[in-house]
Amino acid sequence: MQKEEHVHGPGCGHDHGHNHTVIRSGPKIGRNDPCPCQSGKKYKKCCAK
């Protein structure tokens, strides 16, 4: 007898370990803010690629 494959969805009903909060160490960098790598470019055109 083979084990049935589990289907994940909104009504799954059990914990998969996805419920954790991410805490940033610094402020959020916006896409249009200057890049923190000091390149002079906007973040979206530099390190966000």
Side-chain angles (χ1 to χ4, degrees):
M1 182 181 230
Q2 289 183 347
K3 187 177 178 182
E4 245 183 73
E5 190 173 320
H6 179 75
V7 178
H8 300 281
C12 185
H14 65 272
D15 184 32
H16 292 280
H18 298 241
N19 302 332
H20 64 281
T21 304
V22 176
I23 301 172
R24 278 186 215 93
S25 59
K28 182 177 178 180
I29 301 169
R31 286 176 36 85
N32 291 314
D33 291 340
C35 193
C37 76
Q38 304 296 320
S39 67
K41 297 179 182 179
K42 289 184 179 183
Y43 180 68
K44 67 181 178 183
K45 296 280 188 173
C46 188
C47 291
K49 281 189 168 185

mmCIF file of all heavy atoms in Angstrom:
data_model
loop_
_atom_site.group_PDB
_atom_site.id
_atom_site.type_symbol
_atom_site.label_atom_id
_atom_site.label_comp_id
_atom_site.label_asym_id
_atom_site.label_seq_id
_atom_site.Cartn_x
_atom_site.Cartn_y
_atom_site.Cartn_z
ATOM 1 N N MET A 1 0.841 -1.182 0.000
ATOM 2 C CA MET A 1 0.000 0.000 0.000
ATOM 3 C C MET A 1 0.888 1.248 0.000
ATOM 4 O O MET A 1 1.766 1.377 0.840
ATOM 5 C CB MET A 1 -0.893 -0.030 1.245
ATOM 6 C CG MET A 1 -1.842 1.124 1.333
ATOM 7 S SD MET A 1 -2.814 0.994 2.828
ATOM 8 C CE MET A 1 -4.415 1.221 2.157
ATOM 9 N N GLN A 2 0.660 2.163 -0.953
ATOM 10 C CA GLN A 2 1.455 3.375 -1.046
ATOM 11 C C GLN A 2 0.821 4.498 -0.232
ATOM 12 O O GLN A 2 -0.397 4.589 -0.121
ATOM 13 C CB GLN A 2 1.574 3.827 -2.494
ATOM 14 C CG GLN A 2 2.435 2.935 -3.323
ATOM 15 C CD GLN A 2 2.576 3.493 -4.739
ATOM 16 O OE1 GLN A 2 1.861 4.387 -5.135
ATOM 17 N NE2 GLN A 2 3.513 2.933 -5.477
ATOM 18 N N LYS A 3 1.681 5.338 0.326
ATOM 19 C CA LYS A 3 1.213 6.480 1.099
ATOM 20 C C LYS A 3 0.709 7.548 0.134
ATOM 21 O O LYS A 3 1.354 7.842 -0.859
ATOM 22 C CB LYS A 3 2.368 7.036 1.945
ATOM 23 C CG LYS A 3 1.952 8.099 2.898
ATOM 24 C CD LYS A 3 3.139 8.533 3.739
ATOM 25 C CE LYS A 3 2.734 9.636 4.678
ATOM 26 N NZ LYS A 3 3.848 10.112 5.467
ATOM 27 N N GLU A 4 -0.481 8.127 0.421
ATOM 28 C CA GLU A 4 -1.031 9.176 -0.416
ATOM 29 C C GLU A 4 -0.212 10.448 -0.291
ATOM 30 O O GLU A 4 0.212 10.806 0.805
ATOM 31 C CB GLU A 4 -2.475 9.477 0.013
ATOM 32 C CG GLU A 4 -3.490 9.141 -1.028
ATOM 33 C CD GLU A 4 -4.876 9.520 -0.578
ATOM 34 O OE1 GLU A 4 -5.176 10.714 -0.558
ATOM 35 O OE2 GLU A 4 -5.635 8.603 -0.253
ATOM 36 N N GLU A 5 0.021 11.132 -1.409
ATOM 37 C CA GLU A 5 0.767 12.380 -1.393
ATOM 38 C C GLU A 5 -0.104 13.481 -0.791
ATOM 39 O O GLU A 5 -1.279 13.589 -1.103
ATOM 40 C CB GLU A 5 1.172 12.759 -2.821
ATOM 41 C CG GLU A 5 2.148 13.897 -2.858
ATOM 42 C CD GLU A 5 2.666 14.143 -4.263
ATOM 43 O OE1 GLU A 5 2.920 13.163 -4.985
ATOM 44 O OE2 GLU A 5 2.811 15.319 -4.613
ATOM 45 N N HIS A 6 0.483 14.279 0.079
ATOM 46 C CA HIS A 6 -0.244 15.349 0.758
ATOM 47 C C HIS A 6 -0.367 16.560 -0.160
ATOM 48 O O HIS A 6 0.595 16.982 -0.768
ATOM 49 C CB HIS A 6 0.492 15.753 2.040
ATOM 50 C CG HIS A 6 -0.174 16.863 2.783
ATOM 51 N ND1 HIS A 6 -1.307 16.666 3.513
ATOM 52 C CD2 HIS A 6 0.125 18.176 2.882
ATOM 53 C CE1 HIS A 6 -1.669 17.805 4.042
ATOM 54 N NE2 HIS A 6 -0.817 18.745 3.669
ATOM 55 N N VAL A 7 -1.562 17.129 -0.247
ATOM 56 C CA VAL A 7 -1.803 18.322 -1.054
ATOM 57 C C VAL A 7 -1.898 19.514 -0.121
ATOM 58 O O VAL A 7 -2.716 19.537 0.783
ATOM 59 C CB VAL A 7 -3.108 18.184 -1.878
ATOM 60 C CG1 VAL A 7 -3.362 19.441 -2.674
ATOM 61 C CG2 VAL A 7 -3.029 16.972 -2.783
ATOM 62 N N HIS A 8 -1.039 20.525 -0.338
ATOM 63 C CA HIS A 8 -1.038 21.724 0.490
ATOM 64 C C HIS A 8 -1.999 22.749 -0.092
ATOM 65 O O HIS A 8 -2.097 22.895 -1.293
ATOM 66 C CB HIS A 8 0.367 22.326 0.566
ATOM 67 C CG HIS A 8 1.356 21.389 1.158
ATOM 68 N ND1 HIS A 8 1.459 21.182 2.506
ATOM 69 C CD2 HIS A 8 2.264 20.578 0.585
ATOM 70 C CE1 HIS A 8 2.400 20.303 2.730
ATOM 71 N NE2 HIS A 8 2.907 19.902 1.575
ATOM 72 N N GLY A 9 -2.676 23.463 0.772
ATOM 73 C CA GLY A 9 -3.605 24.488 0.322
ATOM 74 C C GLY A 9 -4.169 25.241 1.507
ATOM 75 O O GLY A 9 -3.736 25.063 2.648
ATOM 76 N N PRO A 10 -5.165 26.090 1.272
ATOM 77 C CA PRO A 10 -5.734 26.903 2.344
ATOM 78 C C PRO A 10 -6.330 26.072 3.480
ATOM 79 O O PRO A 10 -6.280 26.463 4.627
ATOM 80 C CB PRO A 10 -6.832 27.706 1.648
ATOM 81 C CG PRO A 10 -6.545 27.627 0.202
ATOM 82 C CD PRO A 10 -5.757 26.387 -0.023
ATOM 83 N N GLY A 11 -6.849 24.908 3.200
ATOM 84 C CA GLY A 11 -7.468 24.085 4.232
ATOM 85 C C GLY A 11 -6.580 22.950 4.695
ATOM 86 O O GLY A 11 -7.070 21.913 5.132
ATOM 87 N N CYS A 12 -5.287 23.124 4.618
ATOM 88 C CA CYS A 12 -4.332 22.068 4.918
ATOM 89 C C CYS A 12 -4.518 21.529 6.342
ATOM 90 O O CYS A 12 -4.553 20.345 6.556
ATOM 91 C CB CYS A 12 -2.914 22.589 4.706
ATOM 92 S SG CYS A 12 -1.643 21.360 4.911
ATOM 93 N N GLY A 13 -4.584 22.421 7.321
ATOM 94 C CA GLY A 13 -4.911 22.009 8.671
ATOM 95 C C GLY A 13 -3.763 21.599 9.570
ATOM 96 O O GLY A 13 -3.991 21.256 10.717
ATOM 97 N N HIS A 14 -2.531 21.585 9.117
ATOM 98 C CA HIS A 14 -1.429 21.272 10.016
ATOM 99 C C HIS A 14 -0.265 22.230 9.787
ATOM 100 O O HIS A 14 -0.190 22.904 8.780
ATOM 101 C CB HIS A 14 -0.989 19.810 9.903
ATOM 102 C CG HIS A 14 -0.408 19.435 8.587
ATOM 103 N ND1 HIS A 14 -1.169 18.991 7.541
ATOM 104 C CD2 HIS A 14 0.867 19.441 8.137
ATOM 105 C CE1 HIS A 14 -0.382 18.742 6.518
ATOM 106 N NE2 HIS A 14 0.863 19.011 6.846
ATOM 107 N N ASP A 15 0.630 22.284 10.751
ATOM 108 C CA ASP A 15 1.726 23.246 10.740
ATOM 109 C C ASP A 15 2.891 22.747 9.893
ATOM 110 O O ASP A 15 3.306 21.607 9.993
ATOM 111 C CB ASP A 15 2.203 23.494 12.175
ATOM 112 C CG ASP A 15 3.285 24.551 12.255
ATOM 113 O OD1 ASP A 15 3.271 25.479 11.428
ATOM 114 O OD2 ASP A 15 4.127 24.448 13.157
ATOM 115 N N HIS A 16 3.426 23.635 9.049
ATOM 116 C CA HIS A 16 4.581 23.300 8.216
ATOM 117 C C HIS A 16 5.819 24.084 8.640
ATOM 118 O O HIS A 16 6.829 24.049 7.943
ATOM 119 C CB HIS A 16 4.278 23.604 6.741
ATOM 120 C CG HIS A 16 3.250 22.701 6.160
ATOM 121 N ND1 HIS A 16 3.518 21.442 5.724
ATOM 122 C CD2 HIS A 16 1.919 22.870 5.973
ATOM 123 C CE1 HIS A 16 2.422 20.887 5.277
ATOM 124 N NE2 HIS A 16 1.434 21.723 5.421
ATOM 125 N N GLY A 17 5.741 24.837 9.718
ATOM 126 C CA GLY A 17 6.887 25.592 10.195
ATOM 127 C C GLY A 17 7.113 26.895 9.451
ATOM 128 O O GLY A 17 8.174 27.469 9.538
ATOM 129 N N HIS A 18 6.115 27.398 8.741
ATOM 130 C CA HIS A 18 6.255 28.619 7.960
ATOM 131 C C HIS A 18 5.917 29.865 8.772
ATOM 132 O O HIS A 18 6.112 30.966 8.298
ATOM 133 C CB HIS A 18 5.319 28.590 6.745
ATOM 134 C CG HIS A 18 5.617 27.486 5.797
ATOM 135 N ND1 HIS A 18 5.977 27.713 4.501
ATOM 136 C CD2 HIS A 18 5.622 26.143 5.942
ATOM 137 C CE1 HIS A 18 6.169 26.565 3.890
ATOM 138 N NE2 HIS A 18 5.958 25.595 4.745
ATOM 139 N N ASN A 19 5.379 29.694 9.937
ATOM 140 C CA ASN A 19 4.877 30.827 10.710
ATOM 141 C C ASN A 19 5.948 31.406 11.620
ATOM 142 O O ASN A 19 5.915 31.254 12.828
ATOM 143 C CB ASN A 19 3.670 30.394 11.545
ATOM 144 C CG ASN A 19 2.571 29.851 10.675
ATOM 145 O OD1 ASN A 19 2.457 30.238 9.534
ATOM 146 N ND2 ASN A 19 1.769 28.961 11.219
ATOM 147 N N HIS A 20 6.928 32.103 11.026
ATOM 148 C CA HIS A 20 7.929 32.767 11.846
ATOM 149 C C HIS A 20 8.088 34.199 11.346
ATOM 150 O O HIS A 20 7.897 34.483 10.164
ATOM 151 C CB HIS A 20 9.261 32.027 11.827
ATOM 152 C CG HIS A 20 9.912 31.981 10.493
ATOM 153 N ND1 HIS A 20 9.524 31.110 9.504
ATOM 154 C CD2 HIS A 20 10.908 32.717 9.962
ATOM 155 C CE1 HIS A 20 10.266 31.316 8.435
ATOM 156 N NE2 HIS A 20 11.112 32.285 8.674
ATOM 157 N N THR A 21 8.393 35.106 12.241
ATOM 158 C CA THR A 21 8.532 36.515 11.915
ATOM 159 C C THR A 21 9.988 36.838 11.647
ATOM 160 O O THR A 21 10.861 36.460 12.417
ATOM 161 C CB THR A 21 8.022 37.388 13.089
ATOM 162 O OG1 THR A 21 6.672 37.013 13.358
ATOM 163 C CG2 THR A 21 8.085 38.854 12.747
ATOM 164 N N VAL A 22 10.241 37.551 10.553
ATOM 165 C CA VAL A 22 11.590 37.981 10.212
ATOM 166 C C VAL A 22 11.780 39.396 10.756
ATOM 167 O O VAL A 22 10.956 40.268 10.510
ATOM 168 C CB VAL A 22 11.799 37.968 8.682
ATOM 169 C CG1 VAL A 22 13.173 38.503 8.323
ATOM 170 C CG2 VAL A 22 11.604 36.572 8.143
ATOM 171 N N ILE A 23 12.858 39.604 11.497
ATOM 172 C CA ILE A 23 13.143 40.917 12.073
ATOM 173 C C ILE A 23 14.405 41.462 11.420
ATOM 174 O O ILE A 23 15.458 40.845 11.457
ATOM 175 C CB ILE A 23 13.332 40.814 13.603
ATOM 176 C CG1 ILE A 23 12.059 40.246 14.220
ATOM 177 C CG2 ILE A 23 13.665 42.174 14.190
ATOM 178 C CD1 ILE A 23 12.194 39.923 15.693
ATOM 179 N N ARG A 24 14.274 42.654 10.791
ATOM 180 C CA ARG A 24 15.421 43.297 10.148
ATOM 181 C C ARG A 24 16.309 43.947 11.192
ATOM 182 O O ARG A 24 15.843 44.478 12.183
ATOM 183 C CB ARG A 24 14.940 44.397 9.190
ATOM 184 C CG ARG A 24 14.525 43.906 7.872
ATOM 185 C CD ARG A 24 14.227 45.104 6.971
ATOM 186 N NE ARG A 24 13.122 44.748 6.103
ATOM 187 C CZ ARG A 24 11.857 44.997 6.364
ATOM 188 N NH1 ARG A 24 11.504 45.650 7.426
ATOM 189 N NH2 ARG A 24 10.925 44.591 5.543
ATOM 190 N N SER A 25 17.604 43.961 10.925
ATOM 191 C CA SER A 25 18.536 44.602 11.855
ATOM 192 C C SER A 25 18.608 46.107 11.620
ATOM 193 O O SER A 25 18.997 46.852 12.496
ATOM 194 C CB SER A 25 19.929 43.991 11.711
ATOM 195 O OG SER A 25 20.391 44.163 10.386
ATOM 196 N N GLY A 26 18.251 46.562 10.423
ATOM 197 C CA GLY A 26 18.283 47.983 10.093
ATOM 198 C C GLY A 26 17.008 48.393 9.395
ATOM 199 O O GLY A 26 16.091 47.595 9.232
ATOM 200 N N PRO A 27 16.939 49.638 8.940
ATOM 201 C CA PRO A 27 15.727 50.096 8.252
ATOM 202 C C PRO A 27 15.582 49.443 6.878
ATOM 203 O O PRO A 27 16.564 49.021 6.263
ATOM 204 C CB PRO A 27 15.947 51.599 8.115
ATOM 205 C CG PRO A 27 17.417 51.784 8.172
ATOM 206 C CD PRO A 27 17.936 50.695 9.061
ATOM 207 N N LYS A 28 14.341 49.356 6.396
ATOM 208 C CA LYS A 28 14.073 48.766 5.094
ATOM 209 C C LYS A 28 14.620 49.673 3.994
ATOM 210 O O LYS A 28 14.482 50.886 4.048
ATOM 211 C CB LYS A 28 12.574 48.582 4.902
ATOM 212 C CG LYS A 28 12.212 47.926 3.594
ATOM 213 C CD LYS A 28 10.730 47.696 3.487
ATOM 214 C CE LYS A 28 10.419 47.078 2.140
ATOM 215 N NZ LYS A 28 8.988 46.839 1.985
ATOM 216 N N ILE A 29 15.228 49.075 2.981
ATOM 217 C CA ILE A 29 15.770 49.828 1.855
ATOM 218 C C ILE A 29 14.710 49.850 0.768
ATOM 219 O O ILE A 29 14.274 48.803 0.295
ATOM 220 C CB ILE A 29 17.054 49.177 1.304
ATOM 221 C CG1 ILE A 29 18.110 49.091 2.392
ATOM 222 C CG2 ILE A 29 17.571 49.953 0.106
ATOM 223 C CD1 ILE A 29 19.299 48.239 2.012
ATOM 224 N N GLY A 30 14.288 51.055 0.355
ATOM 225 C CA GLY A 30 13.312 51.197 -0.717
ATOM 226 C C GLY A 30 13.972 51.004 -2.068
ATOM 227 O O GLY A 30 15.177 51.192 -2.232
ATOM 228 N N ARG A 31 13.174 50.648 -3.074
ATOM 229 C CA ARG A 31 13.704 50.408 -4.419
ATOM 230 C C ARG A 31 14.345 51.656 -5.004
ATOM 231 O O ARG A 31 15.296 51.566 -5.766
ATOM 232 C CB ARG A 31 12.581 49.947 -5.351
ATOM 233 C CG ARG A 31 12.147 48.540 -5.099
ATOM 234 C CD ARG A 31 10.955 48.126 -5.958
ATOM 235 N NE ARG A 31 10.914 48.666 -7.303
ATOM 236 C CZ ARG A 31 11.527 48.139 -8.369
ATOM 237 N NH1 ARG A 31 12.248 47.054 -8.212
ATOM 238 N NH2 ARG A 31 11.420 48.683 -9.555
ATOM 239 N N ASN A 32 13.820 52.828 -4.692
ATOM 240 C CA ASN A 32 14.326 54.071 -5.268
ATOM 241 C C ASN A 32 15.334 54.786 -4.379
ATOM 242 O O ASN A 32 15.781 55.883 -4.706
ATOM 243 C CB ASN A 32 13.163 55.008 -5.610
ATOM 244 C CG ASN A 32 12.357 54.475 -6.772
ATOM 245 O OD1 ASN A 32 12.915 54.050 -7.771
ATOM 246 N ND2 ASN A 32 11.055 54.463 -6.626
ATOM 247 N N ASP A 33 15.695 54.184 -3.255
ATOM 248 C CA ASP A 33 16.708 54.770 -2.371
ATOM 249 C C ASP A 33 18.103 54.529 -2.949
ATOM 250 O O ASP A 33 18.307 53.589 -3.716
ATOM 251 C CB ASP A 33 16.638 54.138 -0.977
ATOM 252 C CG ASP A 33 15.369 54.517 -0.229
ATOM 253 O OD1 ASP A 33 14.742 55.534 -0.598
ATOM 254 O OD2 ASP A 33 15.006 53.790 0.708
ATOM 255 N N PRO A 34 19.071 55.371 -2.588
ATOM 256 C CA PRO A 34 20.452 55.118 -3.032
ATOM 257 C C PRO A 34 20.939 53.767 -2.514
ATOM 258 O O PRO A 34 20.619 53.358 -1.404
ATOM 259 C CB PRO A 34 21.251 56.254 -2.404
ATOM 260 C CG PRO A 34 20.253 57.296 -2.044
ATOM 261 C CD PRO A 34 18.957 56.578 -1.795
ATOM 262 N N CYS A 35 21.722 53.076 -3.314
ATOM 263 C CA CYS A 35 22.213 51.752 -2.938
ATOM 264 C C CYS A 35 23.205 51.849 -1.773
ATOM 265 O O CYS A 35 24.079 52.720 -1.765
ATOM 266 C CB CYS A 35 22.872 51.088 -4.142
ATOM 267 S SG CYS A 35 23.151 49.337 -3.877
ATOM 268 N N PRO A 36 23.086 50.956 -0.781
ATOM 269 C CA PRO A 36 23.995 50.990 0.367
ATOM 270 C C PRO A 36 25.436 50.607 0.022
ATOM 271 O O PRO A 36 26.338 50.799 0.831
ATOM 272 C CB PRO A 36 23.387 49.989 1.349
ATOM 273 C CG PRO A 36 22.496 49.124 0.544
ATOM 274 C CD PRO A 36 22.050 49.936 -0.626
ATOM 275 N N CYS A 37 25.701 50.117 -1.200
ATOM 276 C CA CYS A 37 27.067 49.736 -1.578
ATOM 277 C C CYS A 37 27.875 50.948 -2.049
ATOM 278 O O CYS A 37 29.016 50.784 -2.471
ATOM 279 C CB CYS A 37 27.040 48.645 -2.643
ATOM 280 S SG CYS A 37 26.631 49.226 -4.294
ATOM 281 N N GLN A 38 27.266 52.127 -1.994
ATOM 282 C CA GLN A 38 27.940 53.396 -2.347
ATOM 283 C C GLN A 38 28.299 53.496 -3.823
ATOM 284 O O GLN A 38 29.223 54.205 -4.190
ATOM 285 C CB GLN A 38 29.207 53.598 -1.485
ATOM 286 C CG GLN A 38 28.970 53.557 0.007
ATOM 287 C CD GLN A 38 28.084 54.691 0.493
ATOM 288 O OE1 GLN A 38 28.206 55.805 0.030
ATOM 289 N NE2 GLN A 38 27.199 54.379 1.418
ATOM 290 N N SER A 39 27.541 52.842 -4.706
ATOM 291 C CA SER A 39 27.824 52.906 -6.140
ATOM 292 C C SER A 39 27.291 54.191 -6.773
ATOM 293 O O SER A 39 27.695 54.534 -7.876
ATOM 294 C CB SER A 39 27.193 51.706 -6.850
ATOM 295 O OG SER A 39 25.773 51.793 -6.790
ATOM 296 N N GLY A 40 26.364 54.845 -6.101
ATOM 297 C CA GLY A 40 25.747 56.044 -6.652
ATOM 298 C C GLY A 40 24.481 55.745 -7.444
ATOM 299 O O GLY A 40 23.791 56.646 -7.877
ATOM 300 N N LYS A 41 24.176 54.457 -7.648
ATOM 301 C CA LYS A 41 22.981 54.057 -8.377
ATOM 302 C C LYS A 41 21.825 53.860 -7.403
ATOM 303 O O LYS A 41 22.027 53.747 -6.201
ATOM 304 C CB LYS A 41 23.218 52.740 -9.115
ATOM 305 C CG LYS A 41 24.276 52.786 -10.162
ATOM 306 C CD LYS A 41 24.418 51.408 -10.789
ATOM 307 C CE LYS A 41 25.507 51.381 -11.835
ATOM 308 N NZ LYS A 41 25.652 50.037 -12.414
ATOM 309 N N LYS A 42 20.601 53.784 -7.956
ATOM 310 C CA LYS A 42 19.448 53.434 -7.142
ATOM 311 C C LYS A 42 19.546 51.941 -6.814
ATOM 312 O O LYS A 42 20.096 51.154 -7.578
ATOM 313 C CB LYS A 42 18.149 53.711 -7.886
ATOM 314 C CG LYS A 42 17.861 55.183 -8.046
ATOM 315 C CD LYS A 42 16.528 55.382 -8.702
ATOM 316 C CE LYS A 42 16.229 56.859 -8.830
ATOM 317 N NZ LYS A 42 14.900 57.095 -9.406
ATOM 318 N N TYR A 43 18.991 51.564 -5.672
ATOM 319 C CA TYR A 43 19.029 50.173 -5.210
ATOM 320 C C TYR A 43 18.453 49.221 -6.251
ATOM 321 O O TYR A 43 19.003 48.157 -6.514
ATOM 322 C CB TYR A 43 18.283 50.060 -3.890
ATOM 323 C CG TYR A 43 18.258 48.677 -3.303
ATOM 324 C CD1 TYR A 43 19.434 48.091 -2.831
ATOM 325 C CD2 TYR A 43 17.087 47.950 -3.211
ATOM 326 C CE1 TYR A 43 19.430 46.826 -2.286
ATOM 327 C CE2 TYR A 43 17.066 46.677 -2.674
ATOM 328 C CZ TYR A 43 18.237 46.117 -2.221
ATOM 329 O OH TYR A 43 18.226 44.857 -1.688
ATOM 330 N N LYS A 44 17.344 49.613 -6.919
ATOM 331 C CA LYS A 44 16.693 48.718 -7.888
ATOM 332 C C LYS A 44 17.556 48.466 -9.121
ATOM 333 O O LYS A 44 17.389 47.453 -9.784
ATOM 334 C CB LYS A 44 15.333 49.287 -8.298
ATOM 335 C CG LYS A 44 15.382 50.566 -9.100
ATOM 336 C CD LYS A 44 13.999 51.067 -9.434
ATOM 337 C CE LYS A 44 14.045 52.364 -10.192
ATOM 338 N NZ LYS A 44 12.709 52.875 -10.449
ATOM 339 N N LYS A 45 18.470 49.373 -9.438
ATOM 340 C CA LYS A 45 19.329 49.213 -10.608
ATOM 341 C C LYS A 45 20.697 48.610 -10.258
ATOM 342 O O LYS A 45 21.520 48.407 -11.138
ATOM 343 C CB LYS A 45 19.569 50.582 -11.283
ATOM 344 C CG LYS A 45 18.337 51.219 -11.839
ATOM 345 C CD LYS A 45 17.998 50.615 -13.170
ATOM 346 C CE LYS A 45 16.858 51.399 -13.825
ATOM 347 N NZ LYS A 45 16.611 50.945 -15.161
ATOM 348 N N CYS A 46 20.934 48.372 -8.977
ATOM 349 C CA CYS A 46 22.262 47.900 -8.549
ATOM 350 C C CYS A 46 22.149 46.546 -7.838
ATOM 351 O O CYS A 46 22.084 45.520 -8.495
ATOM 352 C CB CYS A 46 22.890 48.955 -7.639
ATOM 353 S SG CYS A 46 24.611 48.617 -7.224
ATOM 354 N N CYS A 47 22.118 46.534 -6.541
ATOM 355 C CA CYS A 47 22.159 45.295 -5.758
ATOM 356 C C CYS A 47 20.846 44.539 -5.697
ATOM 357 O O CYS A 47 20.831 43.378 -5.293
ATOM 358 C CB CYS A 47 22.645 45.605 -4.344
ATOM 359 S SG CYS A 47 24.386 46.078 -4.292
ATOM 360 N N ALA A 48 19.715 45.143 -6.087
ATOM 361 C CA ALA A 48 18.437 44.445 -6.037
ATOM 362 C C ALA A 48 18.235 43.520 -7.236
ATOM 363 O O ALA A 48 17.312 42.744 -7.264
ATOM 364 C CB ALA A 48 17.287 45.451 -5.971
ATOM 365 N N LYS A 49 19.106 43.604 -8.238
ATOM 366 C CA LYS A 49 18.959 42.754 -9.430
ATOM 367 C C LYS A 49 19.263 41.321 -9.112
ATOM 368 O O LYS A 49 20.080 40.947 -8.404
ATOM 369 C CB LYS A 49 19.889 43.237 -10.536
ATOM 370 C CG LYS A 49 19.338 44.428 -11.254
ATOM 371 C CD LYS A 49 20.184 44.705 -12.469
ATOM 372 C CE LYS A 49 19.465 45.699 -13.347
ATOM 373 N NZ LYS A 49 20.152 45.919 -14.583
#
